[in-house]
Amino acid sequence: MPQMRIHFTDADLARTRLKPEIDLLWEVVGSAQVLQHRGGGLPLKRWRRRVRERACAAGAVRLAVHTVTTVAPHAAYFPDFLTPTEEVRDIGEGADAVVSASPRRMREEVGLLRRPRAPAARWLDELARGKTAAVRHLHEALRVYFEAVLEPDLPVIGDGLRIACAGGIQRYLRDGPEGLLRWLGPATSWRPPVLAVDYPVDRDLRLDGRGLVLVPSYFGVFHPVALADPRLRPVLVFPIEARARLLAGCHGEGDHVSALLGPTRATILRSAVTGGTTTRLAQQAGVAPATVSHHTGVLRDAGLITTDRHENLATHLITSLGLAVLTSGDDQHASGGSSRSS
């Protein structure tokens, strides 16, 4: 199988990091591609059915799905400008970042897309020419798509990413960046100083001291994905394991962690995978900070989390035992990756 070879220097290793939070635009693109094939197992099959129901019920949703899948086809290439490298807080900022791509970049990247049938081809031509109506249409489509297709499932998506990243975080804490690169899975192979990744085409990516951001994707299914333009900030988006989706999707219905700890403590424990202050955990659990303090005390006494206190700030992080509790049901829940080329 062809491979992408990512070349590291010592400086690149020092700048390599894992991003365990949801990357909104990568999930928009990944989910759009999942709608165009049948892979991903039961959780994604159920998700596709919900999307079809929402699209049938609302013409605006149907149009948004058509628009996003047109510009992000399940193919060897989709435009890099759809997944800007800057951090965004919400879909409004994300859509703004997408359509702020330079006219030249938009023209060149849309020009590399395969040509769909009219009228989609006409809209892509207008987008490539930077026509105001076409750009506004893409901005609105991204917003409607996210709010109708992804936002209702954000809690499950976030849980899936936290469950999937738990092992990587522990590997990084124990073995550093090289341990993290070895953890990425069977589609990758770390032989210093090169990370080899199964890929649709042979290519080499030289980081040149910029480091690498590893982005887990709930909707990634087949293999890791990188930006096509090697001049952009290097990222590697990798699929999470199917069992992480299964575990995230079963919460509230046969969820062994909630049954053991109660739903609030289970939510707090999952949130502590990436570390969080009392205030942040309270927001994610939907309870008062004082309630979180009580629950974190119980979890800490049980050895499932640790708490680091600095002045008036308490940060909570899951322990190895806590990770074992989260993943202890993998065997009973588990069952049986679009690409970028340059």
Side-chain angles (χ1 to χ4, degrees):
M1 181 175 184
Q3 288 188 324
M4 176 172 61
R5 293 162 295 277
I6 304 176
H7 300 264
F8 287 75
T9 64
D10 289 343
D12 293 314
L13 281 174
R15 294 186 175 99
T16 292
R17 67 180 183 90
L18 175 66
K19 180 183 179 181
E21 305 87 10
I22 299 173
D23 188 300
L24 299 182
L25 292 168
W26 274 108
E27 296 299 352
V28 164
V29 169
S31 64
Q33 296 179 344
V34 163
L35 288 174
Q36 300 171 68
H37 64 77
R38 296 183 178 182
L42 184 60
L44 295 186
K45 180 179 180 181
R46 291 172 174 169
W47 175 80
R48 288 190 197 92
R49 183 172 65 245
R50 293 194 297 272
V51 173
R52 286 196 298 269
E53 291 169 352
R54 294 166 191 161
C56 288
V61 176
R62 187 163 56 251
L63 178 59
V65 169
H66 176 71
T67 299
V68 176
T69 54
T70 296
V71 76
H74 180 235
Y77 176 81
F78 59 84
D80 284 335
F81 69 77
L82 292 175
T83 53
T85 54
E86 58 261 39
E87 299 289 338
V88 299
R89 293 173 295 181
D90 54 44
I91 192 58
E93 283 190 1
D96 289 345
V98 169
V99 301
S100 67
S102 69
R104 177 179 178 181
R105 180 180 176 189
M106 196 169 287
R107 181 177 64 253
E108 291 176 351
E109 294 185 6
V110 172
L112 294 174
L113 284 170
R114 66 186 183 190
R115 308 313 292 170
R117 297 178 180 177
R122 288 198 297 272
W123 173 74
L124 283 177
D125 288 340
E126 292 176 356
L127 183 64
R129 292 199 298 270
K131 295 292 186 180
T132 300
V135 173
R136 287 178 176 172
H137 178 67
L138 175 59
H139 188 284
E140 178 67 5
L142 289 169
R143 184 190 64 79
V144 172
Y145 180 95
F146 176 82
E147 292 176 355
V149 172
L150 289 186
E151 194 167 40
D153 295 296
L154 283 185
V156 170
I157 294 170
D159 278 346
L161 296 182
R162 282 188 287 270
I163 292 168
C165 289
I169 292 169
Q170 293 299 309
R171 186 70 66 86
Y172 180 84
L173 293 174
R174 187 174 65 246
D175 300 324
E178 292 196 66
L180 185 59
L181 294 174
R182 292 190 183 95
W183 164 81
L184 282 174
T188 64
S189 175
W190 171 243
R191 295 186 179 88
V194 175
L195 179 69
V197 181
D198 290 346
Y199 218 65
V201 297
D202 276 308
R203 64 175 290 198
D204 288 274
L205 174 60
R206 300 186 183 279
L207 302 180
D208 295 329
R210 295 171 294 171
L212 182 67
V213 180
L214 301 169
V215 181
S217 174
Y218 183 90
F219 289 99
V221 175
F222 297 116
H223 51 72
V225 180
L227 294 169
D229 187 344
R231 297 169 296 180
L232 298 172
R233 186 185 70 169
V235 299
L236 185 67
V237 182
F238 63 93
I240 66 171
E241 293 181 325
R243 65 182 181 180
R245 291 193 207 95
L246 287 166
L247 284 170
C250 73
H251 293 169
E253 182 178 343
D255 174 13
H256 71 290
V257 181
S258 293
L260 177 66
L261 302 176
T264 301
R265 285 179 192 160
T267 298
I268 292 171
L269 183 64
R270 291 187 179 99
S271 298
V273 166
T274 55
T277 63
T278 299
T279 301
R280 177 174 175 267
L281 298 186
Q283 292 171 343
Q284 294 182 336
V287 297
T291 303
V292 167
S293 295
H294 167 71
H295 288 306
T296 53
V298 174
L299 294 171
R300 187 168 54 252
D301 290 344
L304 302 181
I305 67 170
T306 60
T307 300
D308 178 45
R309 301 185 187 278
H310 180 68
E311 296 180 349
N312 294 325
L313 190 67
T315 302
H316 310 281
L317 183 65
I318 199 166
T319 64
S320 297
L321 178 60
L323 289 170
V325 169
L326 280 186
T327 58
S328 62
D330 286 359
D331 292 340
Q332 65 190 40
H333 290 295
S335 68
S338 178
S339 60
R340 311 302 299 281
S341 57
S342 58

